[in-house]
Amino acid sequence: MSLYLRHWKAHTAVHPEFRLLYIKSIESLKSATGISHTRNLATAVEKSEPESSSFTFSSGGEVEDEKTKKDGSIFVKNPSASTRDTSTVTMPMSFMTGSVIGKRFYKQVSTREAEDGNGWSVMLDYRTLKTPSKRPLKLPTLSLAKAIAAEWEYQENDGIRPFMMPLMQLACTALERVPLTRMKIIEHLMKKFNQDLIFCRAPGDNDLTRGVYEKQVEKIDPLLDWVESEFGFKPVVYSSFFGGKQDDGLVNVIESLLKSTNDCELAAIDAIAAAAHSLMISIGIFRGKLQIEEAIELIRLEEDLQLDRWGLVEGGHDLDIADLKVQISSAAVFLGLSQRS
């Protein structure tokens, strides 16, 4: 972990609180999921993965020979002046879903400015990293490139684990999915808007939700007041699972905000909203109203009250908490690092 910390401390400008909470979240998830047991299964998982799980190596745009395509073997030439700048390695499609995608094949991770001068690239030894769709991984800032390089550097020799690289996954989403499906992403977010978590209020006269209403008033009402002052429309609060209808003016201004975002911003907002079940909490982080820990507290408000009352189930609730911390903190860090100063 020391190398991972050195990368971020030396090269990223994200707020120290964000960086620390993100690293703690990764470590808690690693501990909760029993990563040591996963290592023992690395070989078995690799054998069960389809051919699409193999990394693809190319040099100077050359096409791989038939033998390489057939048996998945990898032939790597020593770097030379003519091939150093054109050699690439493409991640497999299973990177976005797989648990282990092969053993570590590189020794050194570095960053450099993209060949066209527009963005920054991650280098695995002398090879430029590409996305699963074989597009150059060009990141908007050096800070984000250094953070993603740290994720690759932190990988163990016995297997590359995508679930330990949330920033890399968000980068692939921003570069590949968002440009093609931007309007569908926005439509999906707005479709869920009326059922947003912060608009739902627990009934105050129900024994099962005793204390929840008071806690929501204490913790969520300040965010509702901020929404009104920030966007000029008072949110409608309801106590039905089916939701209520928000003012058309508020709906339109939030939709306009989403349309004005760049690809990295929309990818981060979508990731936070999916984990939080709340677009407004995601926008609160995006606009600087909420810190990571404040957002997590709001998301888990009702469930934490239930845990205080009935107790925590080990291997269940603790995993959910660790996973939520990773999802929210990684997306918030990605958002901060992707913004050009």
Side-chain angles (χ1 to χ4, degrees):
M1 177 59 98
S2 58
L3 181 58
Y4 193 67
L5 288 170
R6 284 201 300 272
H7 269 285
W8 273 26
K9 288 180 179 179
H11 300 293
T12 63
V14 70
H15 193 281
E17 177 189 349
F18 281 22
R19 183 167 59 230
L20 180 60
L21 182 57
Y22 170 62
I23 294 173
K24 285 183 177 178
S25 301
I26 287 287
E27 285 298 294
S28 62
L29 182 61
K30 181 178 178 180
S31 176
T33 53
I35 190 66
S36 59
H37 298 293
T38 305
R39 290 175 184 166
N40 295 333
L41 297 175
T43 304
V45 172
E46 289 168 9
K47 290 182 179 178
S48 65
E49 290 285 352
E51 290 184 0
S52 62
S53 66
S54 300
F55 284 83
T56 303
F57 294 82
S58 60
S59 179
E62 296 176 5
V63 179
E64 302 152 305
D65 58 48
E66 293 300 322
K67 181 179 179 182
T68 303
K69 290 182 179 180
K70 184 175 180 180
D71 61 16
S73 300
I74 297 175
F75 300 92
V76 182
K77 296 180 180 180
N78 291 329
S80 63
S82 61
T83 62
R84 180 179 293 273
D85 293 334
T86 57
S87 297
T88 64
V89 55
T90 301
M91 293 178 294
M93 293 302 295
S94 59
F95 178 87
M96 302 302 286
T97 57
S99 57
V100 179
I101 55 174
K103 294 182 179 180
R104 176 169 174 161
F105 55 85
Y106 54 92
K107 293 183 179 180
Q108 184 178 3
V109 185
S110 59
T111 59
R112 73 172 186 182
E113 191 173 7
E115 293 182 357
D116 60 2
N118 184 24
W120 298 85
S121 300
V122 175
M123 306 290 294
L124 303 182
D125 292 333
Y126 58 90
R127 310 176 190 92
T128 303
L129 188 60
K130 287 188 174 182
T131 67
S133 295
K134 299 183 179 181
R135 297 179 181 179
L137 182 72
K138 293 198 295 185
L139 302 162
T141 66
L142 177 59
S143 296
L144 181 57
K146 290 290 185 180
I148 290 177
E151 289 186 331
W152 283 94
E153 182 65 57
Y154 187 51
Q155 296 301 302
E156 302 288 348
N157 290 329
D158 64 348
I160 296 173
R161 296 170 173 82
F163 61 87
M164 298 296 291
M165 292 190 279
L167 296 180
M168 183 68 209
Q169 292 183 324
L170 282 167
C172 290
T173 298
L175 292 172
E176 297 193 327
R177 176 183 168 227
V178 175
L180 300 177
T181 61
R182 165 174 283 272
M183 290 312 301
K184 289 185 178 180
I185 294 172
I186 294 175
E187 288 173 7
H188 177 74
L189 289 171
M190 296 309 302
K191 184 178 180 181
K192 304 281 188 177
F193 181 64
N194 286 321
Q195 290 80 39
D196 197 284
L197 176 68
I198 71 167
F199 301 149
C200 183
R201 190 58 53 89
D205 58 351
N206 191 316
D207 183 64
L208 291 176
T209 58
R210 186 175 66 248
V212 176
Y213 177 84
E214 292 76 10
K215 203 70 174 176
Q216 287 176 327
V217 171
E218 176 189 350
K219 297 294 184 179
I220 295 180
D221 276 10
L223 182 59
L224 295 175
D225 294 338
W226 172 81
V227 172
E228 182 178 6
S229 63
E230 185 79 1
F231 301 109
F233 298 93
K234 184 177 178 63
V236 178
V237 177
Y238 52 86
S239 58
S240 170
F241 286 114
F242 298 101
K245 182 173 174 56
Q246 296 298 321
D247 190 293
D248 289 340
L250 181 59
V251 173
N252 292 334
V253 74
I254 294 300
E255 185 173 3
S256 297
L257 172 65
L258 295 177
K259 290 179 179 179
S260 68
T261 57
N262 60 40
D263 292 341
C264 288
E265 291 171 342
L266 186 57
I269 290 173
D270 183 43
I272 295 172
H277 303 291
S278 172
L279 176 58
M280 291 313 304
I281 288 178
S282 181
I283 290 177
I285 293 176
F286 172 57
R287 297 292 281 260
K289 168 60 179 176
L290 294 174
Q291 299 298 313
I292 295 174
E293 290 180 325
E294 293 174 327
I296 292 173
E297 183 183 10
L298 294 182
I299 297 165
R300 291 196 50 82
L301 188 148
E302 184 173 353
E303 188 169 354
D304 283 344
L305 288 174
Q306 295 296 330
L307 291 183
D308 292 340
R309 185 177 181 183
W310 303 106
L312 179 144
V313 177
E314 293 185 2
H317 294 130
D318 51 349
L319 269 177
D320 292 340
I321 294 170
D323 183 56
L324 178 65
K325 288 181 177 179
V326 169
Q327 292 186 62
I328 299 298
S329 59
S330 61
V333 168
F334 178 83
L335 180 63
L337 293 177
S338 66
Q339 295 175 341
R340 295 183 175 91
S341 58

